[in-house]
Amino acid sequence: MSMKREKPQMFDMTGKAALVTGGASGIGWACAQALAAAGAKVAIVDRDSDQGNQAADALADAGATATFVDAELADPDQAEAAVAAVEQAFGRLDAAVNAAGILGPTGPLHALDRDAYKAAMANNLDSVVWCMQHEIAAMLRTVQAGGEAGDGAGGSIVNISSAAGVVGFPSCPTYTAGKHAIIGLTRTAAVDYATQGVRVNAIAPGGVDTPLIRSTTCATAEGRATIEGLHPMQRLAQPSEMAGAALYLCSKAASFVTGAVIPVDGGWTAQ
Ligand SMILES: NC(=O)c1ccc[n+]([C@@H]2O[C@H](COP(=O)([O-])OP(=O)(O)OC[C@H]3O[C@@H](n4cnc5c(N)ncnc54)[C@H](O)[C@@H]3O)[C@@H](O)[C@H]2O)c1
């Protein structure tokens, strides 16, 4: 018996095309960098055009094939156009990380503003539905076309849910409802497309040190200490700590993984 001592190729994304929604910042940006470093062509899809262009330029400067697509993903027409633009730019779509999201309104449910709720659900849940519809269609076309990048990984969608998609999160009923729904959506799509070469999984991050959390629940030292204390590891994650799980799920290393929800949460939901 002999063991090959080459570097593992199972995370290699050479020849693959990926898009990352919310890729201009935080978790999405970390995932975009990991996919590009693994060899994928990467499209940053975001409504922040300044930061989105900077992100795509940074990937290109590092030697990757990268592009930016400006889209407000709560708008179904813009979501459709964005996915179409990526498929046209790269001629295929193998992987999609859906990370665009906001915290939305906080406070008790009985005081929740109806319009704020609807806007946040459109941003956090509807946008994932609109993106997934077109990502799946593009991935089915890619799988059917075959080609040399066909390595058993098939199409792969990675939805960024949250620990708040698995357990209750105080004072965030809208965010929690949307993130739980993303997990149901993930599992159902996983089952529906399991024999068609498209895998659908989710990551459930704990608190991650990004602009989203720094401007909301962790805006004060007290708030940050409270959030850190929810984790057995007693700290927030860095965005880069989310990227390995996303790359794994996109790669052929996860060719038999679909419908999974991977907690990357410092032990939060293990308690
Ligand atoms: N930071 C955390 O602690 C944490 C924890 C669990 C889950 N998450 C989830 O991770 C994802 C990324 O969050 P982050 O912390 O990196 O936030 P972030 O604010 O750093 O990045 C989010 C990006 O998404 C974009 N975006 C948001 N809504 C959009 C829309 N409707 N259309 C287009 N672009 C849009 C923003 O412009 C931004 O570039 C979100 O879905 C969030 O709910 C974050």
Side-chain angles (χ1 to χ4, degrees):
M1 192 182 291
S2 66
M3 194 191 118
K4 285 187 187 157
R5 298 200 59 186
E6 298 145 20
K7 270 190 174 173
Q9 297 298 307
M10 64 179 89
F11 303 111
D12 185 27
M13 297 290 291
T14 304
K16 303 294 184 77
L19 72 79
V20 182
T21 78
S25 177
I27 295 170
W29 171 227
C31 293
Q33 291 174 82
L35 287 162
K41 303 178 179 83
V42 176
I44 305 274
V45 182
D46 205 291
R47 64 183 173 195
D48 183 336
S49 56
D50 286 347
Q51 225 166 290
N53 275 307
Q54 281 176 38
D57 288 349
L59 296 180
D61 288 349
T65 300
T67 189
F68 170 66
V69 177
D70 190 350
E72 168 48 70
L73 298 169
D75 176 341
D77 292 336
Q78 291 193 41
E80 179 174 6
V83 178
V86 177
E87 191 183 11
Q88 192 172 12
F90 297 150
R92 59 188 298 124
L93 184 66
D94 301 278
V97 178
N98 294 318
I102 57 169
L103 184 66
T106 56
L109 182 54
H110 74 269
L112 178 60
D113 177 78
R114 197 180 290 175
D115 291 337
Y117 168 79
K118 285 183 181 166
M121 289 302 266
N123 197 97
N124 279 4
L125 177 60
D126 298 2
S127 67
V128 179
V129 176
W130 312 141
C131 286
M132 282 180 70
Q133 286 191 297
H134 304 293
E135 291 163 359
I136 288 166
M139 287 178 188
L140 290 173
R141 284 189 286 273
T142 300
V143 169
Q144 279 154 17
E148 58 188 43
D151 60 3
S156 173
I157 293 177
V158 179
N159 292 325
I160 306 299
S161 176
S162 171
V166 181
V167 296
F169 187 36
S171 299
C172 297
T174 309
Y175 186 76
T176 307
K179 291 299 184 184
H180 273 70
I182 285 173
I183 289 180
L185 187 64
T186 299
R187 290 180 172 142
T188 297
V191 170
D192 281 343
Y193 296 98
T195 60
Q196 295 174 62
V198 177
R199 298 178 295 104
V200 188
N201 295 286
I203 296 172
V208 186
D209 194 3
T210 69
L212 181 152
I213 205 170
R214 287 199 292 269
S215 63
T216 55
T217 48
C218 293
T220 63
E222 191 190 359
R224 187 178 173 113
T226 301
I227 298 292
E228 286 175 343
L230 294 169
H231 304 77
M233 287 190 177
Q234 299 293 316
R235 67 172 178 87
L236 299 181
Q238 290 304 307
S240 59
E241 293 180 281
M242 303 297 128
L247 175 58
Y248 161 67
L249 290 170
C250 290
S251 73
K252 67 180 173 216
S255 57
F256 200 54
V257 181
T258 197
V261 179
I262 300 186
V264 188
D265 66 1
W268 179 342
T269 58
Q271 299 170 93

